[in-house]
Amino acid sequence: MAAILISLVYILSFSPTIAVTSNGIENDANGLQTYIVHVRKPKQEGKFSMKLDLDNWYRTFLPDNISKSIDAHHRSRMVYGYRNVISGFAARLTAEEVKAMETKSGFLSARVENILEPQTTHSPNFLGLHQNSGFWKDSNLGKGVIIGVLDMGITPGHPSFSDEGMPPPPAKWKGKCELEGANCNNKIIGARNFLNKSEPPIDNDGHGTHTASTAAGNFVNGANLFGQANGTAAGMAPLAHLAIYKVCETDLGCPESIVNAAIDAAVEEGVDVLSISLGSPSLPFFADAMATAAFTASQKGILVSCSAGNSGPNSSTLTNEAPWMLTVGASTIDRSIVAVTQLGNQETYDGETIFQPKDFPSKQLPLVYPGVKNSSAAFCLPETLKSIDVKGKVVLCQRGGGTQRIRKGRDVKDAGGAAMILMNDELFDYGTVADNHVLPAVYVSYAAGERIKAYINSTSSPTASIVFKGTVIGKKSAPEVAVFSSRGPNTASPGILKPDIIGPGVSILAAWPFSEENITNTKSTFTMISGTSMSCPHLSGIAALLKSAHPDWSPAAIKSAIMTTADIVNLEGKPIMNHHLLPADLFDVGAGHVNPSKANDPGLVYEISHDDYVRYLCGKNYTDQQIEGIVDHDVQCSKVSSIAEAELNYPSFSVKLGSSPQTFNRTVTNVGQDNSFYTHHIIVPEGVKIIVQPDKISFTEKNQKATYSVTFIRDQNSNASSVQGYLSWVSATHTVRSPIAIGFE
C-alpha cells in the first residue's frame, strides 16, 4: 500500500466515515473511489478570490449532475479542495466520470488515492545534547519553532506535552485547536482531526503520541518502562511548539487525500518543520502525492522530514525518495536492555528484552527446541506447540513464520512454557531489539541461536536459564544500522543517494497514551518501540533546533548541514556496522549518523533553488504536464537546460559509471567564518579515478559561493558492482564531507 501527505487549506466538505477494501483503497458498491485530481490554476483577470474561485473552478471539472450531489451516506462527492501544496482536489468518482473529466481544458491528471502506512530518555545524551550547555543551549531548545506532526493524533495532558517554560506561539501561527477543554497550550498549539471532523484528534494507537514527544516532548523526570531506561525524558527540541494533524487510524491507515489535506493546512497555518513518519512503496514523483505536497512545502521554507521505511535489510526498499525530502533511516543507540542466556554447558549469550522479572529463578530449566522433529514447529506457532511438551521449560523459537515476536511468547506461555529464547533468522542475523514480552524471554542473534541448537542436539537433557541484567549504557559498537531500516539504492531517482541520514530508531522510550504496566494513577506513561518512525522525529526535532539557531537557513541548507557533518564511525572510532557486524555501506547509512552539534556549524552548505529542481525534473524525462503537477506552474522542458540527476546540487554523489568519464558541478555557500580556506580530501573508491577542480576554494565573507567540478573516471576493472568513497572540503575548523556511491555499468 502507498500513502501520501498533503495539507488541507480549503475544505469543500468532509467525510466522517470511509469504507476500505482489502487493499486499503476506498471503494463502495457504486464503484466510487477517492481520486486525487491535478488541474491547472484558473486564469483570472483582476482580483482573485482564492477560496471562492478555486471552489467554483474545481467544481467545473465534475459532471453537472454530481457537482453538488450527495450520496446515499449523505456525503458530498467533493472531498477536499487544495490551495497550497497542489492545484487540485480530491473527489469520490467512478472511472467513467474521470474519463469524461480528462477532456476538459485545464485537466492535468487523476489517480486513485493510495493509503500510507505508519512506519526517549537517553537518545538526546547519546547525540551530545545536554541541558544548559552546548547546542541545546545555543539553539534555545528549539524555542519559537513549530513542528507539524502528521500521524495518529495526540494524548493531551501527558506530561511530555506540558508547556512549562514555553513561550506563547509565534505571531505567525494561524492554526486551530480541536481538542476538548483546555488541552491545547503553549506546547500543543494546534490539533486537528482530518479523518473525522466530529471527533477530537485523540491518539487511540500510541504512534502519534510517541513520535510527537520524540520530536518536541518537554522534560519529564523519572520516565521508564518496567523500571528500565530510567531517566529524564525529552524530545530533541523540548521547547519547540507542536501542531498535531491526525491523518491515520489503526484500522484505516493514512489515506493520501487526508494526508495531503493536512499538509495543505500546515503550510497555511505556519509550521516550520513537518515530521511525517509515514510511507508508501516507491513511485515516480508525479504519482507520489507525498512527494508532490512536500515539494511545495519545501519551496515555502518548510523542512519535510520523513521516515525511510521499515523494509530492510533488503536493498531498494526505500520510501520518501525525493531530493527535497529529508529521508531518515534508523540506528541503534548505546543503551541496551540486556538479558543473558546461560546454557547447561556454561556457555552464555547476550540478548535483549524489556520485561525483566525480578522473581524469575536463576536455576537451570529443561530446554526444548520444537523444530528438532518438525521444522515447521521451529516458529512456535500455536498449533505446533500443542503436540510438544513445553510445560515448565525454556522454549527456543525462531523468528518468522508469519507470527510477531511478542505473539510467539504469548503462545509459549499459553502452552505452559516457563520462558522463551527467541533467535533471529539468518537474514536479520545480529539485528535484535528489546521487546515487551509477556513471559521471561530473551531475543538473541542468529549465530547465538545456531549454537544453542547445536547444544540441544549434543545432549539428551539440555537445560538453560535466563539472567536479567537490566539497562546497560555504553555499547561501543553504537550506532549500528537498524536491521529493519530500509536500504537504497533510490528506485525513483537513482542519481540521488538515499537515505540521507540515519538517527536513533531502536528501542526508543517516549510518551504513550496508556500504561504498559497497568498503572492507573499516573499520566506519566511511556513505552519503548523501534522503527524509522522513531528516527524521523529525532531528525525533525534536530531540524527545529537548527531552524531556531539559524532562522535564515533554507530547508536545503538545514539538510545539507545535517548531511555533511554526519558521523561515519561508531563510538570506538570504527566504521558504522550493519546487522552482520560488517561495515555498513552508503545505501544503508547515506551520509552517516546525525551529529547535531556539528550540524550547527557546518562551514559550507549546498543550496538548491526552485529552478534547479525544475531542471532536475526535466532531466528525468518526465513530461511537461507531469512536472507541472509537481511544481504547480507551467513548465516547458524544451526551453529549460535540463540536468542529469547526479548534477543536482546535492550534498552527496550517486553515479552510474561506464567507460566514459562523467563530470558534475557543485556549488557551496559559506556559512562559516568570513575569511576561510578549504582544500579537498578524497577517499577514492576502488577502481575509480577522481579529479576535483579547483584544488582549493576560499571565501572572504559569509554567504559567498564557490563552484567546483568533480570528474569520475573508471581506471581499472573491479569485481564489485558498486564502490564508495568520500569527498571532503577541509579547513582549519571544518570538514564538509560528501559521500560518493558509484555503480559500474
Side-chain angles (χ1 to χ4, degrees):
M1 293 191 301
I4 287 187
L5 308 136
I6 296 184
S7 81
L8 165 88
V9 167
Y10 177 66
I11 302 180
L12 295 169
S13 79
F14 185 82
S15 167
T17 59
I18 296 179
V20 180
T21 61
S22 59
N23 66 357
I25 304 300
E26 179 189 355
N27 207 341
D28 64 17
N30 297 319
L32 295 174
Q33 293 179 286
T34 300
Y35 283 80
I36 306 292
V37 182
H38 289 255
V39 299
R40 289 192 171 93
K41 290 181 178 178
K43 294 181 179 179
Q44 297 284 334
E45 299 197 5
K47 187 175 180 180
F48 180 72
S49 172
M50 176 70 77
K51 183 173 181 178
L52 178 61
D53 289 351
L54 279 180
D55 185 352
N56 293 334
W57 173 244
Y58 293 157
R59 289 188 181 278
T60 64
F61 290 90
L62 301 178
D64 292 339
N65 64 320
I66 71 162
S67 62
K68 298 180 180 179
S69 70
I70 303 294
D71 70 6
H73 298 285
H74 308 291
R75 294 181 292 176
S76 170
R77 299 277 293 279
M78 181 72 84
V79 179
Y80 291 109
Y82 308 110
R83 84 171 190 233
N84 289 305
V85 294
I86 67 170
S87 176
F89 58 92
R92 302 178 64 251
L93 304 163
T94 66
E96 292 76 16
E97 290 166 346
V98 172
K99 188 70 175 175
M101 189 186 301
E102 293 175 357
T103 63
K104 298 195 174 185
S105 176
F107 174 87
L108 290 175
S109 66
R111 60 180 181 79
V112 176
E113 72 168 349
N114 294 309
I115 304 296
L116 228 62
E117 293 183 330
Q119 303 278 303
T120 169
T121 50
H122 182 63
S123 55
N125 287 349
F126 177 67
L127 293 172
L129 299 174
H130 304 281
Q131 279 186 269
N132 303 316
S133 66
F135 182 33
W136 250 359
K137 181 179 180 181
D138 294 343
S139 65
N140 293 315
L141 300 168
K143 189 177 293 185
V145 177
I146 303 170
I147 303 175
V149 180
L150 278 70
D151 213 293
M152 290 193 167
I154 196 71
T155 303
H158 192 286
S160 289
F161 307 122
S162 163
D163 64 355
E164 181 179 353
M166 296 282 304
K172 69 172 184 175
W173 176 242
K174 301 175 184 176
K176 299 178 181 179
C177 180
E178 296 174 357
L179 292 170
E180 296 175 351
N183 288 312
C184 278
N185 55 18
N186 287 334
K187 168 58 73 176
I188 304 175
I189 61 173
R192 301 180 65 178
N193 188 344
F194 284 86
L195 286 167
N196 191 331
K197 197 73 172 171
S198 64
E199 295 182 0
I202 300 299
D203 182 7
N204 300 311
D205 174 271
H207 192 272
T209 299
H210 199 281
T211 56
S213 65
T214 300
N218 213 330
F219 295 100
V220 181
N221 295 325
N224 67 84
L225 179 62
F226 292 103
Q228 301 304 317
N230 187 61
T232 299
M236 294 298 100
L239 296 188
H241 305 285
L242 284 168
I244 303 301
Y245 302 90
K246 182 168 182 173
V247 297
C248 307
E249 198 62 83
T250 305
D251 59 351
L252 175 63
C254 318
E256 66 181 358
S257 63
I258 303 295
V259 174
N260 285 356
I263 295 177
D264 201 63
V267 170
E268 184 162 288
E269 292 173 353
V271 305
D272 299 296
V273 175
L274 278 171
S275 186
I276 304 172
S277 292
L278 313 172
S280 67
S282 179
L283 292 167
F285 300 144
F286 59 82
D288 184 336
M290 183 183 299
T292 301
F295 179 84
T296 302
S298 70
Q299 296 306 292
K300 297 195 176 192
I302 300 169
L303 183 133
V304 183
S305 172
C306 300
S307 53
N310 296 335
S311 298
N314 295 319
S315 62
S316 300
T317 52
L318 292 166
T319 186
N320 302 321
E321 299 164 296
W324 46 85
M325 295 167 151
L326 179 64
T327 308
V328 185
S331 66
T332 64
I333 58 176
D334 66 337
R335 179 187 65 201
S336 301
I337 316 298
V338 177
V340 180
T341 300
Q342 293 186 339
L343 302 181
N345 63 1
Q346 305 306 310
E347 290 180 358
T348 61
Y349 301 100
D350 287 353
E352 297 186 75
T353 183
I354 296 173
F355 180 50
Q356 305 243 334
K358 296 179 180 179
D359 57 352
F360 187 68
S362 59
K363 68 178 182 179
Q364 293 280 309
L365 297 173
L367 172 63
V368 61
Y369 173 51
V372 167
K373 296 181 179 179
N374 180 359
S375 60
S376 64
F379 302 112
C380 296
L381 304 179
E383 59 271 18
T384 60
L385 292 175
K386 291 178 181 178
S387 60
I388 300 170
D389 180 16
V390 301
K391 291 183 179 179
K393 299 179 180 180
V394 179
V395 184
L396 175 65
C397 300
Q398 288 187 198
R399 183 189 186 279
T403 303
Q404 294 180 343
R405 299 185 301 272
I406 293 175
R407 176 60 189 269
K408 291 178 188 290
R410 185 179 297 115
D411 292 337
V412 168
K413 183 178 181 180
D414 291 345
M420 177 181 70
I421 302 171
L422 177 64
M423 65 170 284
N424 241 342
D425 56 21
E426 189 171 7
L427 176 65
F428 277 59
D429 209 359
Y430 288 91
T432 61
V433 297
D435 289 319
N436 186 15
H437 290 285
V438 299
L439 83 170
V442 57
Y443 187 10
V444 300
S445 69
Y446 172 73
E450 287 296 299
R451 288 191 282 270
I452 293 170
K453 286 197 290 184
Y455 161 69
I456 292 172
N457 291 330
S458 72
T459 178
S460 59
S461 55
T463 61
S465 64
I466 300 175
V467 178
F468 297 98
K469 297 289 189 179
T471 303
V472 177
I473 293 175
K475 187 177 181 181
K476 295 299 183 183
S477 61
E480 300 168 4
V481 182
V483 62
F484 56 79
S485 185
S486 289
R487 267 60 167 182
N490 186 336
T491 302
S493 187
I496 301 296
L497 179 64
K498 293 280 183 169
D500 293 310
I501 198 78
I502 58 172
V506 176
S507 301
I508 301 302
L509 188 77
W512 202 244
F514 37 82
S515 172
E516 299 274 63
E517 306 169 61
N518 296 317
I519 299 174
T520 58
N521 62 349
T522 181
K523 292 183 178 181
S524 186
T525 49
F526 294 82
T527 202
M528 189 178 289
I529 54 178
S530 301
T532 56
S533 282
M534 285 65 256
S535 55
C536 168
H538 275 88
L539 270 293
S540 305
I542 291 166
L545 296 177
L546 292 170
K547 186 68 175 178
S548 180
H550 307 279
D552 58 330
W553 280 10
S554 68
I558 293 173
K559 181 175 173 179
S560 173
I562 289 171
M563 292 175 63
T564 61
T565 59
D567 291 330
I568 59 174
V569 296
N570 60 24
L571 293 180
E572 55 185 347
K574 297 179 180 179
I576 293 173
M577 310 297 277
N578 64 16
H579 60 292
H580 295 306
L581 302 186
L582 298 172
D585 66 29
L586 297 181
F587 299 122
D588 299 337
V589 302
H593 192 271
V594 63
N595 185 319
S597 298
K598 287 184 178 179
N600 188 42
D601 183 20
L604 307 175
V605 296
Y606 292 80
E607 289 280 14
I608 306 176
S609 70
H610 179 90
D611 288 345
D612 291 335
Y613 283 125
V614 172
R615 296 169 63 210
Y616 156 83
L617 291 168
C618 286
K620 288 183 62 60
N621 294 320
Y622 290 169
T623 67
D624 292 353
Q625 191 165 297
Q626 290 167 343
I627 297 173
E628 183 176 349
I630 298 172
V631 303
D632 203 23
H633 64 76
D634 180 59
V635 172
Q636 296 181 50
C637 285
S638 61
K639 299 181 180 180
V640 171
S641 298
S642 63
I643 58 174
E645 292 179 339
E647 180 72 12
L648 187 67
N649 201 46
Y650 213 67
S652 60
F653 295 88
S654 181
V655 180
K656 275 292 183 183
L657 189 60
S659 57
S660 300
Q662 294 197 48
T663 299
F664 302 101
N665 297 302
R666 291 289 190 272
T667 298
V668 289
T669 302
N670 179 33
V671 294
Q673 291 88 348
D674 286 349
N675 293 292
S676 51
F677 178 84
Y678 291 80
T679 58
H680 72 261
H681 291 218
I682 305 174
I683 298 177
V684 182
E686 178 188 357
V688 178
K689 181 180 180 181
I690 298 178
I691 301 172
V692 178
Q693 295 180 327
D695 293 330
K696 304 171 184 178
I697 53 177
S698 60
F699 304 89
T700 58
E701 59 186 8
K702 276 193 175 182
N703 298 317
Q704 190 175 356
K705 298 180 183 296
T707 298
Y708 66 90
S709 68
V710 186
T711 299
F712 300 96
I713 304 169
R714 188 169 186 174
D715 66 350
Q716 65 185 57
N717 290 326
S718 173
N719 293 327
S721 59
S722 63
V723 293
Q724 64 184 47
Y726 294 93
L727 166 63
S728 300
W729 288 101
V730 181
S731 72
T733 54
H734 297 93
T735 296
V736 186
R737 183 189 304 109
S738 292
I740 300 169
I742 295 179
F744 294 121
E745 293 181 331

